[in-house]
Amino acid sequence: MSKTLGNSPDPIELIKKYGADGVRVGMLLCAPAGNDIPFDEGLCEQGRNFSNKIWNAFRLIKGWEVSEKEQPLEAKQAVKWFNSRIGTVLEEINDSFTKFRLSEALMSSYKLIWDDLCSSYLEAVKPAYGGKIDPRSLKETIEFFETTLKIIHPFMPFLSEEIWHRLADRPEKEDALIVAKWPEQEKGDELLQREWEVLSEILSDVKNQRNQYGISPKEALTGSVNISGRLNQDFSRLFKKLGNCTIDIISDGGDTSPRKNGVVSLDLGDKLQEEEKKNLEKELEYSKGFAKSVEKKLSDSDVLLWAHSKRRNSERKKLADALAKISQIEEKLEQMK
Amino acid sequence: MEIPSKYDPRETESKWYEFWMKNDYFHSEPDDRESYTVVIPPPNVTGVLHMGHMLNNTIQDVLVRRARLQGKNACWVPGTDHASIATEAKVVKRLREKGIKKSDIGREEFLKHAWEWKEEYGGIILEQLKKLGASCDWERTSFTMDETYYQDVVNTFIRLYEKGLIYRGERMINWDPAALTALSDEEVIHKEVNSKLYHVRYQIKDSKEYVTIATTRPETILGDSAICIHPDDTRYTHLHGKHALVPLIGREIPIILDDYVDMEFGTGCLKVTPAHDVNDFDLGAKHNLEIINIMNPNGTLNENSVLFDGVDRFKVRKQIEKDLEESGNLVEVESYQNKIGYSERTDVVIEPRLSLQWWVKMDDIVKPALQSVKDGEINFYPSNFVNTYNHWLNNVKDWCVSRQLWWGHRIPAWFYGQGDDDFVVCVTAEEALEKAKSKSGNEALTAEDLKQDEDVIGYLVLFLVMAYVCIQWSPR
């Protein structure tokens, strides 16, 4: 992009299209300090999507109804974890600012909001469909949300100020977000965060296998996973809530911070076999079709085409391989019956 | 409160910007809090926002807003730059559309038009910065031609001159031999014309060997100071340290080495004529070559040309072609298309000409700049840019700070005679008269004898004072 080349987009048009906050985020996402900038309008779009993500999170929270009840265990765990997470990320962000690494500061803030707040924390505390939230979780969630608004304000001043005033009535001049106090928080508990990472990894294994075998999220699953070290927290309610699954944690008895070993093994039983059968049948069909096409080619009497015996041989080999594969698959399918 | 299902930036952004402005959050006054001040690199007053502005102003706003959240006294000072060349070109164009020439209306009238233009079009870019969310202290908005700025730039020029950091020296300008005036680059029209390319051979001293150069202006060989070849050009290795003889006049000139020469182009030999070509002037300065000015202001050659004193440059070109032919120095003449600069006003061919200009001595001025970085008083992020900075400052040449323009801070130099040294440097005409009297010893001088320099001061001086002017600290 160059002024001289005239291939630079009009900033005011970009602002109209993606919002000023979206463009600000887009500019900084592509600009690690001191390097040339490969500008991509897609990054402004990413900025706008980020605005929408925050807006939707806000709408989610505002939509919750409260009922007087105890805070459930999984919410307690999530609150403790996210609080610790803010401490850790805030330290990263402050460090980046000190070094004028604004892209990194933005990236840390972005991940804190998108991954930790939206994808993990809010999922963990949100009431079941049609249910209500306990007052304590709501209060703590709003406080967290306000903290993240302060953190994102330098990058997205408009959106953050808008939500800030929608979250609460703030009539005084000094109540505005622009002059709020930058959060201060101690560095987070590493072990706690490590445990939560193991939780996320397990849930992502489960999700992957659901996708792979076409199992609906509504279908409850059971399974187990090997862990080296120790998982202090009982995450069974979160497994249920976030993954609709029950997972046995098999620890190696070590005393270190926990690490997941291998992939979660799910009791898929018939589902697995059905899925495999389906795949084999698909493969069989393909191989048969392929063999047919090679046979047709070989029966062609066009002399020119077969002038090279080498080529003819290679086609013959292809056919032999395909036929071998077909009998293999048929054998397997026979065994499955 | 109803929550819209989609976030609408258009509505929200103008609403909150007004709210911030109305409540004065951007304004800063000094107090006990730690201060965090940023001076905007002022965009051109003629400018509209481009992506470069977007990035650097986003960065500034992010830093300022975070500092504000941290409880610091954050102040971001905005402003615009008068943009000498860009603005003047736009005003000249506008006047031309009305059939008015800059030279017809004179300096004062022209400046009126320039101010009008600025009032009408200037400041668009600041409004655009507001759209971005820039939290500048708009009450402190300044313009580099504001009265305080103007005075401070002029005073800084004087101070630098008095300290010996500004001096007068020669440099190439566009000269109109008919109007007898310097022209800015904007007043030169480049036309594609059919020329001739003359291949001329120079004998190597004490040898039967020749080297051949090509030129479209054969009359200038009389002002040659050297032949330049590439140090790696193996065809000429044996000529290193030798001398060549200028055809017709037999003057000895050195053969110099410089990788500026393109080995692939022509014979790989270049004639160097510092007084009559911009590039040759720089090359000459680098190699400390003699500057031989062979031309009078009116386009005739002078006695330095040896052969053609008083003859017009184009007549000489025809004559010298014959002379070179006869002496056996003309190898070939080919037709050649090139671009030649013509005066917009008189339509005669421009001559690059040496002229006295004002210069800042960079050697001394960069010392504290280098030192404070070395001492860690100023830091670079990322730190590896220190190398670029040091390399640049260690190699910077003296900086020309006069511009042949009217829109800008006028050079506070007053001439009272024809001599190169017949001038004084000060703010007012009254002061100048007193100083001129004492410098010249001529008590009979009057205000009419004084003529202020027509040129304006280049940006370098402005940048020296910008940070101070913004916080209202006067270098006086």
Side-chain angles (χ1 to χ4, degrees):
Chain A
M1 178 166 75
S2 141
K3 226 172 27 165
T4 332
L5 294 175
N7 60 355
S8 156
D10 176 359
I12 297 301
E13 287 304 311
L14 287 179
I15 290 177
K16 279 188 192 155
K17 206 164 159 192
Y18 302 107
D21 291 330
V23 179
R24 290 165 69 111
V25 167
M27 297 290 322
L28 289 179
L29 280 178
C30 64
N35 294 321
D36 283 352
I37 301 157
F39 176 77
D40 174 1
E41 202 175 312
L43 289 165
C44 292
E45 203 180 330
Q46 197 182 338
R48 181 182 60 190
N49 294 345
F50 189 39
S51 298
N52 291 337
K53 184 83 181 175
I54 299 174
W55 185 254
N56 289 336
F58 158 68
R59 288 180 63 227
L60 176 75
I61 296 169
K62 278 305 254 190
W64 287 343
E65 282 179 57
V66 194
S67 74
E68 279 305 327
K69 59 177 174 185
E70 276 292 296
Q71 188 173 34
L73 173 68
E74 72 270 20
K76 269 188 194 139
Q77 287 175 316
V79 164
K80 209 172 159 201
W81 164 73
F82 191 66
N83 190 49
S84 147
R85 191 73 199 128
I86 289 180
T88 300
V89 177
L90 201 56
E91 195 183 64
E92 273 171 39
I93 293 171
N94 286 334
D95 183 58
S96 298
F97 268 116
T98 310
K99 294 170 179 154
F100 292 90
R101 293 187 177 159
L102 303 197
S103 287
E104 283 88 336
L106 171 60
M107 215 49 226
S108 302
S109 316
Y110 182 95
K111 284 184 183 156
L112 176 71
I113 292 174
W114 194 296
D115 299 345
D116 297 333
L117 179 71
C118 297
S119 303
S120 294
Y121 174 81
L122 289 177
E123 292 298 318
V125 295
K126 86 173 174 195
Y129 186 73
K132 293 180 176 176
I133 196 162
D134 67 278
R136 188 163 170 184
S137 295
L138 180 64
K139 179 176 165 282
E140 285 169 333
T141 301
I142 289 176
E143 281 169 9
F144 285 149
F145 202 63
E146 288 181 345
T147 303
T148 56
L149 287 177
K150 289 177 191 171
I151 291 174
I152 206 66
H153 175 78
F155 300 104
M156 308 176 93
F158 295 109
L159 173 77
S160 54
E161 190 78 81
E162 169 77 14
I163 296 178
W164 181 258
H165 287 267
R166 282 179 178 271
L167 277 174
D169 194 19
R170 305 180 198 264
E172 300 303 323
K173 188 184 162 187
E174 59 272 19
D175 292 342
L177 179 59
I178 185 174
V179 287
K181 197 170 171 300
W182 182 255
E184 276 173 29
Q185 200 155 324
E186 275 176 35
K187 191 169 163 36
D189 179 340
E190 296 271 346
L191 182 65
L192 196 62
Q193 290 178 53
R194 181 64 223 149
E195 290 190 332
W196 197 273
E197 258 173 70
V198 171
L199 166 71
S200 306
E201 285 163 17
I202 290 171
L203 288 170
S204 119
D205 274 2
V206 173
K207 197 175 164 194
N208 288 343
Q209 291 183 53
R210 279 187 193 276
N211 289 339
Q212 192 181 345
Y213 300 118
I215 306 166
S216 152
K218 283 179 191 150
E219 209 169 314
L221 294 173
T222 57
S224 65
V225 68
N226 292 314
I227 298 277
S228 57
R230 205 170 60 197
L231 195 60
N232 289 317
Q233 299 187 69
D234 176 8
F235 281 138
S236 50
R237 293 178 66 119
L238 282 164
F239 288 142
K240 194 78 210 155
K241 185 167 187 179
L242 302 178
N244 193 16
C245 58
T246 310
I247 304 291
D248 273 340
I249 305 290
I250 304 160
S251 168
D252 68 354
D255 213 15
T256 51
S257 68
R259 227 158 265 284
K260 181 173 77 85
N261 282 340
V263 179
V264 172
S265 137
L266 288 172
D267 311 325
L268 295 173
D270 293 347
K271 281 181 211 89
L272 194 63
Q273 207 178 20
E274 266 167 42
E275 184 61 26
E276 204 181 342
K277 204 172 146 191
K278 229 188 271 168
N279 284 339
L280 284 172
E281 276 163 356
K282 248 189 241 164
E283 223 182 321
L284 183 65
E285 200 181 332
Y286 171 82
S287 299
K288 280 182 172 167
F290 180 74
K292 217 177 200 173
S293 78
V294 180
E295 267 171 348
K296 187 162 175 269
K297 227 193 243 175
L298 281 168
S299 66
D300 202 315
S301 55
D302 189 332
V303 186
L304 265 181
L305 184 67
W306 298 118
H308 299 289
S309 60
K310 236 189 191 171
R311 235 179 111 180
R312 188 166 203 163
N313 287 341
S314 101
E315 290 297 322
R316 277 185 177 144
K317 185 161 185 319
K318 271 189 206 163
L319 180 62
D321 288 349
L323 292 174
K325 200 168 179 190
I326 288 169
S327 70
Q328 245 176 31
I329 295 172
E330 279 171 344
E331 205 173 304
K332 262 194 204 166
L333 282 171
E334 191 59 35
Q335 283 168 4
M336 277 176 146
K337 271 178 191 166
Chain B
M1 206 175 356
E2 180 73 17
I3 304 173
S5 63
K6 282 206 103 160
Y7 172 62
D8 180 7
R10 289 195 202 198
E11 196 185 303
T12 316
E13 289 173 2
S14 52
K15 179 179 75 186
W16 290 112
Y17 204 86
E18 264 170 48
F19 170 82
W20 292 326
M21 288 289 279
K22 203 181 73 201
N23 284 291
D24 237 10
Y25 293 113
F26 303 159
H27 181 62
S28 152
E29 289 294 335
D31 60 21
D32 318 335
R33 289 174 297 165
E34 183 186 341
S35 74
Y36 191 92
T37 308
V38 174
V39 176
I40 203 168
N44 280 358
V45 70
T46 57
V48 289
L49 210 62
H50 60 62
M51 293 307 280
H53 296 122
M54 287 290 274
L55 176 62
N56 86 51
N57 288 293
T58 297
I59 289 171
Q60 291 172 75
D61 195 47
V62 167
L63 293 172
V64 167
R65 283 182 182 270
R66 178 165 176 273
R68 203 177 280 121
L69 292 175
Q70 285 180 307
K72 293 177 186 169
N73 188 347
C75 183
W76 183 11
V77 187
T80 45
D81 181 336
H82 64 286
S84 277
I85 292 176
T87 307
E88 184 148 333
K90 289 203 167 143
V91 177
V92 165
K93 189 169 168 244
R94 184 150 92 158
L95 289 173
R96 195 189 297 136
E97 280 160 10
K98 295 180 186 163
I100 304 168
K101 275 186 196 166
K102 178 183 157 189
S103 50
D104 296 343
I105 57 174
R107 187 181 197 108
E108 237 170 88
E109 192 62 24
F110 177 82
L111 288 178
K112 263 190 218 160
H113 285 282
W115 276 105
E116 267 171 35
W117 194 93
K118 185 254 167 186
E119 296 308 326
E120 205 173 324
Y121 297 103
I124 291 175
I125 197 162
L126 298 183
E127 291 308 309
Q128 293 182 317
L129 283 178
K130 293 178 182 172
K131 296 251 178 290
L132 179 67
S135 59
C136 303
D137 186 351
W138 298 108
E139 284 174 44
R140 294 182 186 274
T141 306
S142 64
F143 176 53
T144 53
M145 281 276 277
D146 286 345
E147 188 55 26
T148 41
Y149 251 121
Y150 197 99
Q151 292 309 328
D152 286 341
V153 169
V154 165
N155 281 308
T156 303
F157 184 98
I158 295 170
R159 222 161 59 116
L160 291 173
Y161 174 75
E162 283 168 355
K163 282 185 154 185
L165 291 170
I166 281 186
Y167 65 91
R168 289 186 90 210
E170 288 189 310
R171 119 172 215 172
M172 281 288 167
I173 50 152
N174 303 305
W175 182 256
D176 178 338
L180 300 181
T181 179
L183 299 178
S184 71
D185 291 340
E186 286 71 36
E187 297 166 297
V188 177
I189 310 219
H190 294 275
K191 300 186 200 169
E192 188 96 27
V193 294
N194 294 316
S195 305
K196 287 179 182 172
L197 190 62
Y198 301 84
H199 297 259
V200 180
R201 59 179 200 166
Y202 291 53
Q203 193 176 357
I204 304 300
K205 194 193 165 201
D206 302 327
S207 141
K208 290 273 170 255
E209 202 179 343
Y210 290 86
V211 290
T212 303
I213 59 91
T215 177
T216 54
R217 296 192 296 158
E219 68 279 7
T220 61
I221 66 171
L222 302 171
D224 284 353
S225 298
I227 299 272
C228 188
I229 54 179
H230 196 286
D232 301 336
D233 195 333
T234 48
R235 290 171 293 180
Y236 303 117
T237 314
H238 63 289
L239 298 181
H240 292 188
K242 297 258 168 75
H243 286 72
L245 303 171
V246 177
L248 307 178
I249 53 176
R251 185 156 48 75
E252 254 180 57
I253 53 173
I255 290 172
I256 61 167
L257 311 175
D258 201 293
D259 54 19
Y260 166 77
V261 181
D262 183 356
M263 283 191 272
E264 308 291 319
F265 187 77
T267 59
C269 294
L270 187 77
K271 78 189 202 60
V272 187
T273 322
H276 298 283
D277 181 278
V278 180
N279 298 320
D280 290 9
F281 180 75
D282 294 338
L283 201 54
K286 187 171 164 191
H287 292 272
N288 209 11
L289 297 175
E290 194 184 353
I291 297 169
I292 306 163
N293 182 358
I294 58 163
M295 220 172 280
N296 293 310
N298 67 1
T300 58
L301 271 62
N302 62 24
E303 76 260 22
N304 291 336
S305 72
V306 185
L307 303 173
F308 302 103
D309 190 8
V311 185
D312 181 78
R313 51 188 171 150
F314 297 112
K315 281 192 185 145
V316 174
R317 187 169 299 173
K318 279 193 184 135
Q319 184 59 45
I320 206 165
E321 181 180 346
K322 286 180 198 152
D323 294 353
L324 288 168
E325 178 89 68
E326 272 169 30
S327 69
N329 289 87
L330 193 61
V331 181
E332 191 193 350
V333 181
E334 59 178 317
S335 58
Y336 187 70
Q337 276 223 327
N338 63 342
K339 279 197 167 168
I340 290 185
Y342 286 76
S343 166
E344 187 185 23
R345 268 189 260 170
T346 62
D347 202 35
V348 305
V349 176
I350 294 302
E351 278 298 327
R353 184 177 170 83
L354 283 171
S355 154
L356 280 169
Q357 302 287 327
W358 297 90
W359 299 81
V360 171
K361 223 181 192 163
M362 295 304 279
D363 273 5
D364 290 336
I365 229 165
V366 301
K367 272 180 198 153
L370 285 163
Q371 193 61 39
S372 49
V373 168
K374 201 175 162 196
D375 295 344
E377 201 183 324
I378 294 172
N379 295 298
F380 278 83
Y381 299 91
S383 60
N384 56 318
F385 280 82
V386 166
N387 300 330
T388 313
Y389 175 84
N390 286 339
H391 181 263
W392 196 77
L393 285 187
N394 281 318
N395 291 285
V396 69
K397 290 182 191 152
D398 284 358
W399 198 275
C400 182
V401 286
S402 38
R403 297 284 180 276
Q404 284 72 57
L405 297 166
W406 284 349
W407 175 244
H409 314 91
R410 192 171 178 181
I411 291 174
W414 308 77
F415 296 88
Y416 57 81
Q418 293 304 309
D420 284 353
D421 197 37
D422 294 347
F423 67 88
V424 293
V425 175
C426 56
V427 181
T428 65
E430 294 75 39
E431 259 180 281
L433 187 57
E434 287 314 307
K435 283 194 162 191
K437 279 180 184 169
S438 88
K439 188 171 172 181
S440 64
N442 177 3
E443 284 297 319
L445 282 177
T446 64
E448 280 74 56
D449 298 321
L450 291 182
K451 210 174 156 288
Q452 189 176 355
D453 199 311
E454 289 292 331
D455 296 347
V456 297
I457 305 172
Y459 285 139
L460 185 80
V461 179
L462 170 68
F463 293 151
L464 290 175
V465 298
M466 202 173 71
Y468 302 114
V469 180
C470 285
I471 55 164
Q472 285 142 33
W473 180 90
S474 167
R476 276 169 284 181

